[in-house]
């Protein structure tokens, strides 16, 4: 009896061992690995994505613990040969993903697939703060409002506060209004409660003043500005034109206003020496008495823009020989370089976005002049009350041209360069005195030239 029992027990033991071995063999080839944890973390490389981390476990009895992971927005189980599988390293798989509802699959070497987990990824993140300007240029007391847009993913409400690095140069209030306090440079910042920030450079410049009528401005003098200073003044000009609308009526107005009422110095009048086109009586091509290029002519770095010359080169304010006879100018003598009337108008047009060519103010059948632009209408009470005239239209008479730079209830303000006013200025004409005056005879309506008014204003 004991022998039989021993034999039965031995049989059971052997059978158990065989079953265990069979299970281990079966499990190695048929039981899939499992997911122990899923973590979502921020991606340092991609603002609009996150890192999807999968931790994988495998059973102790598995001889080969090599595992793979796959993420899918599709609920169907992938095949073992799907191209989306990535191999786990030290029991981890990592994916970079956007928002979505993901199904997580893991497999072993033998193609056994487990889909134990699904995970939603919701990314709510502030990606960037964008401001309407990168740099703002101010005179002391100038106010300008900065605006911002938030670039986000998902749903996020970020609180923004404004802060100035130096309140002694410029302040900024909770609404983004910047005020220039004193000359210098600083930064104002839009700062979010998520840690994102955007800086805007503020330059309070001594080269510009609050726009207004000032007939006591000093003239630009020779070599007054170094290269960086001249570049800065150009940037301020271009900023004003861009804000108004380059290639619009307002862009031309901005150029004319900058040189007459905002720039801290006056550009002298200079009797022209030549044109870009060589025709009688202007025999000198690109004469240095006219500066027909973008920006102001304040530093020798602009000499490269002069394609040819008769005398010079010579920046504004430096003495240049003239070959025009006027009461204030003697043929062959030297005078501070600047702009004549049509030189100023074509400069403003070019900088505002309209290259009309280097044309003059006379009525000549042989070639184009400024009075050939737009629609020429003689000044009358009917015209001035018609609603057709706008700031930015040209105004003048045969031999002289200017720009209507503004008006209010009482006056018209005309930007021009005249020999008897000493250069580029604003002339004030009472509204009831414009008709039948001795200087301005017609207006060139410029709608067909400008096409678009831009950020148009009647006054500065």
């Amino acid at each position: 009896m004991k022998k039989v029992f021993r034999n039965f027990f031995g049989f059971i033991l052997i059978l158990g061992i065989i079953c265990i071995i069979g299970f281990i063999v079966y499990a190695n080839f048929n039981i899939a690995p499992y997911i122990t944890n899923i973590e979502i973390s921020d991606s340092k490389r991609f603002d609009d994505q996150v890192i999807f981390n999968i931790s994988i476990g495998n059973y102790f009895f598995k001889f080969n613990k090599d595992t793979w992971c796959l993420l899918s927005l599709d609920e169907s189980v992938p095949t073992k040969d799907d191209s989306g599988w990535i191999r786990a390293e030290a029991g981890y798989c990592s994916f970079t993903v956007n928002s979505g509802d993901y199904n997580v699959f893991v497999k072993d070497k033998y193609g056994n697939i487990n889909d134990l987990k699904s995970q939603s990824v919701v990314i709510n993140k502030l990606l960037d703060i964008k401001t309407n300007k990168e740099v703002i240029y101010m005179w002391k007391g100038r106010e300008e409002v900065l605006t911002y847009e938030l670039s986000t993913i998902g749903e996020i409400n970020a609180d923004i506060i404004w802060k100035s690095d130096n309140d002694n140069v410029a302040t900024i209030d909770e609404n983004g209004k910047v005020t220039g306090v004193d000359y210098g440079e600083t930064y104002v910042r839009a700062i979010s409660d998520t840690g994102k920030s955007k800086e805007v450079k503020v330059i309070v410049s001594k080269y510009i003043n609050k726009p207004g009528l000032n007939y006591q401005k000093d003239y630009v003098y020779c070599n007054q500005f170094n290269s960086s200073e001249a570049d800065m003044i150009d940037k301020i000009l271009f900023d004003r034109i861009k804000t108004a609308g380059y290639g619009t009526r307002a862009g031309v107005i901005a150029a004319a206003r900058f040189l007459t009422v905002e720039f801290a110095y006056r550009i002298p009048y200079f009797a022209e020496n030549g044109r870009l086109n060589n025709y009688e009586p202007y025999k000198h091509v690109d004469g240095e008495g006219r500066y027909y290029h973008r920006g102001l002519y304040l530093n020798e770095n602009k000499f490269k823009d002069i394609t040819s010359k008769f005398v010079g080169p010579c920046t504004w304010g430096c003495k240049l020989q003239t070959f025009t006879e006027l009461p204030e100018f003697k043929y062959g003598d030297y005078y501070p370089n600047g702009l004549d009337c049509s030189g100023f108008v074509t400069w403003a047009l070019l900088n505002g976005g309209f290259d009309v060519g280097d044309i003059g103010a006379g009525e000549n059948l042989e070639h184009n002049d400024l009075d050939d632009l737009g629609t020429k209408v003689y000044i009358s009470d009917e015209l001035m009350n018609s609603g057709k005239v706008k700031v930015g239209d040209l105004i003048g008479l045969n031999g002289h041209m200017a720009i209507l730079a503004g008006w209010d209830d009482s006056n018209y303000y005309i930007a021009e360069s005249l020999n008897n006013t000493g250069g580029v200025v604003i002339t004030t004409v009472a509204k009831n005195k414009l008709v039948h005056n001795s200087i301005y005879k017609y207006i060139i309506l410029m709608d067909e030239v400008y096409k678009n008014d831009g950020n148009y204003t009647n006054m500065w």
Side-chain angles (χ1 to χ4, degrees):
M1 187 72 178
K2 291 182 179 179
K3 184 176 181 181
V4 173
F5 179 79
R6 286 196 298 268
N7 289 339
F8 177 76
F9 179 79
F11 172 77
I12 294 299
L13 180 62
I14 293 171
L15 182 62
I17 292 172
I18 292 172
C19 289
I20 292 171
I21 293 173
F23 173 78
I24 291 173
V25 171
Y26 171 84
N28 267 277
F29 289 95
N30 292 278
I31 295 180
Y34 55 92
I35 299 167
T36 61
N37 192 32
I38 294 176
E39 291 182 353
I40 309 297
S41 60
D42 286 340
S43 170
K44 294 182 179 179
R45 184 176 179 186
F46 302 104
D47 280 338
D48 59 344
Q49 297 178 325
V50 295
I51 305 298
F52 196 112
N53 299 290
I54 305 168
S55 175
I56 305 172
N58 225 323
Y59 297 95
F60 71 93
F61 48 75
K62 297 276 281 189
F63 299 134
N64 190 316
K65 291 182 170 54
D66 291 343
T67 51
W68 286 259
C69 312
L70 184 144
L71 285 187
S72 176
L73 295 170
D74 190 347
E75 292 183 358
S76 59
V77 178
T79 67
K80 65 177 182 178
D81 298 320
D82 193 291
S83 61
W85 292 104
I86 68 167
R87 186 167 185 159
E89 298 292 338
Y92 287 91
C93 295
S94 292
F95 297 85
T96 303
V97 300
N98 300 104
S99 293
D101 295 323
Y102 293 93
N103 293 291
V104 187
F105 301 92
V106 293
K107 74 169 186 175
D108 63 11
K109 178 182 179 181
Y110 309 107
N112 300 303
I113 299 173
N114 207 341
D115 58 340
L116 298 177
K117 295 283 186 180
S118 59
Q119 178 78 41
S120 291
V121 175
V122 179
I123 304 175
N124 295 318
K125 183 183 289 189
L126 173 61
L127 301 180
D128 194 17
I129 304 171
K130 298 179 181 178
T131 52
N132 59 318
K133 286 191 174 182
E134 301 288 329
V135 184
I136 56 176
Y137 304 94
M138 317 197 80
W139 26 265
K140 287 197 290 187
R142 176 180 170 88
E143 296 178 348
E144 185 167 344
V145 176
L146 285 173
T147 60
Y148 67 88
E149 291 183 3
L150 301 181
S151 176
T152 64
I153 292 178
E155 297 181 2
I156 184 168
N157 293 317
D159 291 328
I160 298 294
I161 62 170
W162 292 99
K163 185 179 186 302
S164 172
D165 286 0
N166 188 345
D167 286 338
N168 293 322
V169 174
T171 61
I172 187 166
D173 68 12
E174 66 275 10
N175 298 313
K177 183 175 73 176
V178 182
T179 303
V181 176
D182 202 357
Y183 300 133
E185 298 182 6
T186 189
Y187 287 91
V188 294
R189 303 176 190 275
I191 305 170
S192 78
D193 53 4
T194 65
K196 285 282 186 181
S197 66
K198 172 70 175 181
E199 66 179 26
V200 177
K201 191 172 186 178
V202 180
I203 299 173
V204 184
S205 174
K206 62 183 178 181
Y207 305 127
I208 53 176
N209 293 322
K210 181 179 181 179
L213 303 181
N214 179 5
Y215 297 102
Q216 306 303 316
K217 289 197 299 186
D218 292 334
Y219 284 101
V220 166
Y221 59 83
C222 185
N223 298 323
Q224 179 176 355
F225 302 99
N226 62 36
S227 177
S228 61
E229 291 169 336
D231 287 345
M232 173 64 67
I233 295 167
D234 278 356
K235 289 176 182 177
I236 301 173
L237 167 68
F238 299 151
D239 172 78
R240 301 298 189 250
I241 293 169
K242 181 179 178 181
T243 300
Y246 180 75
T248 70
R249 174 185 292 270
V252 175
I253 297 169
R257 288 175 178 172
F258 180 80
L259 214 57
T260 52
V261 296
E262 186 171 9
F263 184 47
Y265 299 89
R266 186 190 300 189
I267 308 303
Y269 182 91
F270 186 86
E272 65 191 29
N273 275 338
R275 297 288 178 84
L276 294 175
N277 300 308
N278 194 356
Y279 51 75
E280 294 292 338
Y282 306 103
K283 301 179 181 180
H284 315 309
V285 177
D286 206 2
E288 275 279 298
R290 293 170 72 91
Y291 181 72
Y292 189 68
H293 304 277
R294 289 205 71 202
L296 283 69
Y297 192 22
L298 299 177
N299 186 264
E300 293 180 359
N301 62 3
K302 293 298 181 73
F303 288 168
K304 64 181 182 298
D305 294 334
I306 304 298
T307 56
S308 58
K309 57 181 172 39
F310 182 66
V311 291
C314 182
T315 58
W316 289 342
C318 293
K319 288 193 173 181
L320 182 68
Q321 191 176 19
T322 186
F323 298 94
T324 300
E325 190 77 28
L326 289 172
E328 298 84 2
F329 288 81
K330 183 178 180 181
Y331 188 95
D333 278 359
Y334 289 79
Y335 302 90
N337 191 15
L339 292 169
D340 68 351
C341 67
S342 57
F344 165 67
V345 172
T346 54
W347 177 90
L349 286 166
L350 175 67
N351 279 274
F354 300 91
D355 188 354
V356 300
D358 187 2
I359 54 180
E363 297 173 331
N364 298 288
L365 297 178
E366 300 84 9
H367 49 74
N368 288 331
D369 288 290
L370 286 167
D371 72 338
D372 296 313
L373 300 173
T375 302
K376 180 178 177 180
V377 185
Y378 283 89
I379 295 173
S380 65
D381 287 323
E382 180 183 5
L383 173 66
M384 302 313 295
N385 293 321
S386 68
K388 295 179 180 179
V389 178
K390 296 179 181 179
V391 174
D393 287 337
L394 308 189
I395 184 171
L397 78 168
N398 182 22
H400 178 63
M401 193 63 72
I403 299 174
L404 185 58
W407 70 50
D408 55 25
D409 292 340
S410 302
N411 301 305
Y412 295 109
Y413 301 96
I414 298 168
E416 59 190 345
S417 184
L418 283 168
N419 55 317
N420 59 2
T421 62
V424 179
V425 296
I426 288 286
T427 298
T428 303
V429 180
K431 282 191 169 180
N432 60 1
K433 300 291 185 181
L434 184 64
V435 178
H436 307 305
N437 78 90
S438 61
I439 299 177
Y440 313 106
K441 298 300 181 184
Y442 53 73
I443 288 178
I444 310 296
L445 305 177
M446 294 287 284
D447 273 346
E448 63 187 74
V449 177
Y450 296 144
K451 309 295 185 185
N452 188 318
D453 280 345
N455 296 318
Y456 173 89
T457 60
N458 282 332
M459 277 298 290
W460 50 82

